[in-house]
Amino acid sequence: MKQTKRQVLPSRRRRTLRRLLIAAAALCLVNRIFLIGLLFPIQAIRQNEERTGTGRTTVICRDWAPELQWSRLTYLMGNEHVTFLTGTYLSYLGWLGDSGAVLDCSEEAALHCGLWSINQGDGKVLYVFGRIDDPAIVRLKIQGRQTVFSEEQTDQVAEETYQEWTLEQEKWMEKDGRRYFLMKTVSYEKSSWSGQDFSVTGYNKYDEMVAEEKIEEGAFTSFV
């Protein structure tokens, strides 16, 4: 009599699938409760959105910052009401996030600008970012100024421009009809940008100043 061969493989597949589903559910639970074990960088960015209360934002661009850490990624995000610069890096706990800096763009203005300074080890990265809402603006000038006192007369103050960058509109980014910019500079000096005030000036095609904004919103992050 011919014997029927038992179909063992499907039951093994079911057990394997069940184990995978249990593992996935456990991982999701760990992600939500302990905020660790994230497999993808965008998961950390979404957690940063919840942490800062920005609401759902869209990725505008991403920058890799090996000057700080080989896996560090910085994301420029935005929606109708906010512009959000945030970051993530890979650790033994999975992808972890830095809150970064949030700009409130809900009020009408020609320019919205902020900064994020990150120090880690010997590396220092400065990001200046924002949104340009005035269509007449075609060029940006970013300046870092520091107040210097006279050595002879301490009551006299001279303001010097220590650093300056120019961004033409060809280097800007557009998303959902809104224009954004991101400027990055790297330094390995201990005193970089310390005590400096930053401003962003917008110019039209005739090289006339349209708007000037002193950067009031920002974040400073330091790692050992």
Side-chain angles (χ1 to χ4, degrees):
M1 175 183 287
K2 185 177 181 181
Q3 294 182 349
T4 304
K5 190 175 182 180
R6 296 181 61 186
Q7 298 295 322
V8 181
L9 189 57
S11 62
R12 289 179 179 173
R13 287 178 178 172
R14 284 195 296 270
R15 286 196 299 270
T16 302
L17 180 59
R18 188 182 303 113
R19 290 169 182 168
L20 288 175
L21 291 175
I22 292 173
L27 180 60
C28 290
L29 192 62
V30 169
N31 291 166
R32 296 298 299 177
I33 296 177
F34 301 104
L35 305 181
I36 60 174
L38 302 177
L39 300 178
F40 304 101
I42 193 63
Q43 292 177 283
I45 300 303
R46 296 307 178 200
Q47 285 188 353
N48 292 346
E49 290 175 338
E50 295 181 12
R51 188 181 298 115
T52 54
T54 62
R56 190 62 174 256
T57 56
T58 302
V59 177
I60 299 160
C61 71
R62 184 181 68 177
D63 177 69
W64 177 41
E67 304 87 358
L68 300 172
Q69 190 177 1
W70 71 270
S71 63
R72 177 168 286 276
L73 300 172
T74 301
Y75 284 76
L76 181 63
M77 314 285 291
N79 60 27
E80 182 181 357
H81 303 292
V82 301
T83 302
F84 184 30
L85 189 65
T86 183
T88 181
Y89 58 94
L90 186 61
S91 75
Y92 68 93
L93 295 175
W95 286 94
L96 299 177
D98 294 328
S99 295
V102 181
L103 293 180
D104 182 0
C105 302
S106 57
E107 295 185 3
E108 185 175 347
L111 276 173
H112 304 275
C113 47
L115 63 83
W116 188 16
S117 175
I118 310 173
N119 298 347
Q120 186 163 4
D122 295 329
K124 296 173 177 61
V125 171
L126 174 69
Y127 291 103
V128 179
F129 70 102
R131 196 173 92 184
I132 309 105
D133 286 348
D134 192 327
I137 297 175
V138 298
R139 181 171 64 89
L140 297 176
K141 182 170 67 176
I142 302 169
Q143 291 181 311
R145 298 187 180 95
Q146 187 169 17
T147 301
V148 180
F149 292 90
S150 172
E151 294 182 0
E152 293 78 14
Q153 297 179 331
T154 56
D155 58 338
Q156 292 187 0
V157 176
E159 190 179 67
E160 297 185 26
T161 299
Y162 271 69
Q163 300 193 44
E164 183 174 296
W165 304 268
T166 299
L167 288 180
E168 305 290 344
Q169 62 179 341
E170 290 78 12
K171 296 182 179 180
W172 304 350
M173 295 144 288
E174 186 169 340
K175 193 75 173 182
D176 300 327
R178 294 180 285 271
R179 298 185 299 167
Y180 299 88
F181 71 93
L182 178 65
M183 188 280 296
K184 173 187 176 182
T185 184
V186 180
S187 176
Y188 296 95
E189 297 179 8
K190 291 183 179 180
S191 60
S192 297
W193 317 305
S194 177
Q196 291 193 34
D197 295 319
F198 288 87
S199 64
V200 180
T201 307
Y203 296 87
N204 62 18
K205 63 181 180 180
Y206 304 107
D207 206 29
E208 301 170 334
M209 187 179 73
V210 177
E212 183 177 18
E213 294 290 335
K214 182 178 179 180
I215 297 181
E216 303 286 355
E217 299 183 64
F220 299 86
T221 305
S222 182
F223 297 90
V224 178

